[in-house]
Amino acid sequence: MRAAGEWPGGGTGPPFSALPEENVEDLYDNAPCGYLSTSLDGTIAKINATLLRWLGYERDALVGRRSFSDLLTVGGRIYYETHFAPLLQMQGELGGVALELKTADGTRLPVLLTSAVKTGADGRPHSIRTMVFDAHDRRAYEQELLRAREEAELERDRVQRLARTLQQTLLPPALPEVPGMEVAAYYHPASLDQVGGDFYDLFPLSGNTWGFFLGDVSGKGENAAVVTSLIRYTLRGAAVYDPDPASVLAHLNTVLYQAHQGEYPRFCTVIYGNLRLDGAGAVMTVAGGGHTPALVLRADGTSSLLHLRGGQLVGALEEARFVVDEIRLEPGDAILLYTDGLTEARTGADRWYSEEDLRDDLSGLVPATAAVVIDAVNRLLESLGDGVEDDTALLAMSVPSQDGAGT
Amino acid sequence: MSDDAFSMSLRPVAAGVVLGLKGDVDTHTAPGVLAGIRGLVLREGELLVLDVSGMRFCDSSGISAFIAARNHAAAARADVVLVGVPRQTLRVLGMIGLDALFTFRPNLDDALSARDANSAGGA
């Protein structure tokens, strides 16, 4: 602590004594900011040389002749009269207000104003003193910030477009037409700039048989996207080689397990199935690799979950077990495959939307065509809103009812 | 960052080692957990106890950690016990067909005393 009266340099007087003598009048006139005094009605009473120089006016042109608001732009004048003046009157002082002044040659001077009401000996206000700071630098800085922000937004848009494009390459552009069936799919990204790890596909095998799958890769972002690509091509390739659903998943398991040995483990849950048209309906042979159970909607409005319990997730274990079941769809029946973005949506602090909730919410849906089912789930997703934290992929297949309602 | 909410502890016990995970096991913290698990030296017949009773949040990264623990222990012919797995995580493990791979215990005492009983019975 420095003792009172002791100043830097060892002197005992105030530091001003070290400066050349200051002329107060010169300090006022040539200060690095503008000074302006006006009467209460705004008429300019006194103005310093700095401000005159900035504005390009002679002293006589302003003092006693013009009011402060004459120096403002039209917008500035409105702001001054509706905000600045009333606030100043109420508070007695006001600082840091950004306005533009008009100079003699018509150019604009961005400034920051600080004003105080000066009261006389009788305690009544008799004038307003205003300090004017040149805000060119600040304006330039603000414009620079604005430009940087616009650039950042453009860049973000670009990245989001790229992510969407990549995501679209990971999903089939459009489902093929399957004669005698209706199919529909939907992909709901949880966020625009994340490439998700949900995938699905439907493709012809031989004769009247089709392969389909839907699944979910662990993790997110570009690493998940790489695995998603690998999975899609492996599944399609494996199905051509040996279309038995359990063999297709075993093949995928081997590929994934070997591809990521020793690294960060990558695995997926997936349902793979073959669809064979059979008479008026269709027969599906479905293998489950640890995925959420498919939902089966019958023509009479009843619904049930197709549990493939014991089927293990794919890619995590050297030898994984898959569970296979067969299901027949009659006219008016539908099946829905979905990822757990839907069934892991939060519906409360410690509550999640479950497969059973989905089954109950979709029962009574008649006719349950593929498009109607996807629509119904979309409405559910909307109602869950922010609770949906993960991507959601949907694939629905239905056999049209024969009473003509589906045509 | 979730790192603040996460901590990992390692404690040797007679039967083997207890790896404790507290807080959020997610994309940010999982690589550290995986590295921690792979660095463990386990001998045949030893026990790796993964104590997650202090775990608040577990996504698929947490499941990765369980699988890594299981695979690491299996390679050394050691056993894995999961302690204090939250209900929601148990549900997910059941869904993905991995519940049969693990032994679950409600708390650490149970995990270690059950082991002692087994060892005593086996001796």
Side-chain angles (χ1 to χ4, degrees), chain A residues 166 170 195-197 217-218 220-234 256 259-260 263 266:
Chain A
L166 281 175
L170 299 176
V195 181
V217 174
S218 68
K220 282 192 176 56
E222 57 284 0
N223 287 333
V226 169
V227 184
T228 305
S229 263
L230 176 64
I231 291 169
R232 286 190 60 219
Y233 292 112
T234 302
L256 277 188
H260 296 279
E263 288 174 55
R266 289 288 174 188

Side-chain angles (χ1 to χ4, degrees), chain A residues 103-284:
Chain A
T103 65
D105 66 7
T107 57
R108 292 175 174 211
L109 173 69
V111 294
L112 287 175
L113 297 182
T114 296
S115 290
V117 176
K118 168 79 176 152
T119 49
D122 57 358
R124 299 170 68 138
H126 70 73
S127 65
I128 298 166
R129 288 172 168 173
T130 299
M131 283 170 80
V132 182
F133 298 95
D134 184 346
H136 266 117
D137 288 351
R138 179 172 142 150
R139 180 62 54 89
Y141 174 62
E142 285 170 352
Q143 279 169 349
E144 186 56 37
L145 278 181
L146 200 64
R147 199 164 39 242
R149 193 174 105 179
E150 281 166 0
E151 276 173 17
E153 278 171 358
L154 273 177
E155 183 64 15
R156 194 195 57 197
D157 288 350
R158 201 182 65 81
V159 168
Q160 283 184 349
R161 266 200 313 279
L162 180 64
R164 272 198 298 277
T165 307
L166 281 175
Q167 207 159 46
Q168 276 155 14
T169 66
L170 299 176
L171 298 174
L175 294 178
E177 278 199 16
V178 182
M181 296 283 292
E182 287 185 19
V183 295
Y186 176 74
Y187 185 71
H188 172 93
S191 86
L192 287 178
D193 54 2
Q194 279 274 18
V195 181
D198 288 5
F199 57 89
Y200 60 81
D201 209 347
L202 172 63
F203 51 96
L205 283 170
S206 58
N208 60 351
T209 306
W210 300 70
F212 63 87
F213 57 80
L214 176 141
D216 189 356
V217 174
S218 68
K220 282 192 176 56
E222 57 284 0
N223 287 333
V226 169
V227 184
T228 305
S229 263
L230 176 64
I231 291 169
R232 286 190 60 219
Y233 292 112
T234 302
L235 283 174
R236 287 193 67 149
V240 171
Y241 174 70
D242 178 357
D244 170 64
S247 302
V248 171
L249 290 190
H251 189 102
L252 177 65
N253 186 68
T254 304
V255 169
L256 277 188
Y257 186 78
Q258 285 173 354
H260 296 279
Q261 266 302 76
E263 288 174 55
Y264 198 77
R266 289 288 174 188
F267 40 78
C268 68
T269 67
V270 59
I271 291 181
Y272 176 88
N274 287 334
L275 156 67
R276 186 166 45 83
L277 301 169
D278 181 55
V283 176
M284 289 179 173

Side-chain angles (χ1 to χ4, degrees), chain B residues 17-31:
Chain B
V17 65
V18 178
L19 186 69
L21 305 179
K22 279 198 167 66
D24 298 352
V25 181
D26 57 19
T27 321
H28 301 295
T29 57

Side-chain angles (χ1 to χ4, degrees), chain A residues 38-88:
Chain A
T38 63
S39 59
L40 290 178
D41 69 0
T43 307
I44 295 171
K46 199 173 177 195
I47 183 165
N48 77 342
T50 303
L51 187 52
L52 284 170
R53 183 160 48 79
W54 287 352
L55 293 171
Y57 283 110
E58 294 297 321
R59 192 177 305 269
D60 293 346
L62 297 180
V63 173
R65 290 169 184 267
R66 308 288 287 273
S67 81
F68 176 61
S69 60
D70 293 337
L71 297 177
L72 298 171
T73 58
V74 176
R77 199 176 303 157
I78 293 169
Y79 179 79
Y80 180 81
E81 275 157 20
T82 57
H83 289 84
F84 193 98
L87 270 174
L88 181 61

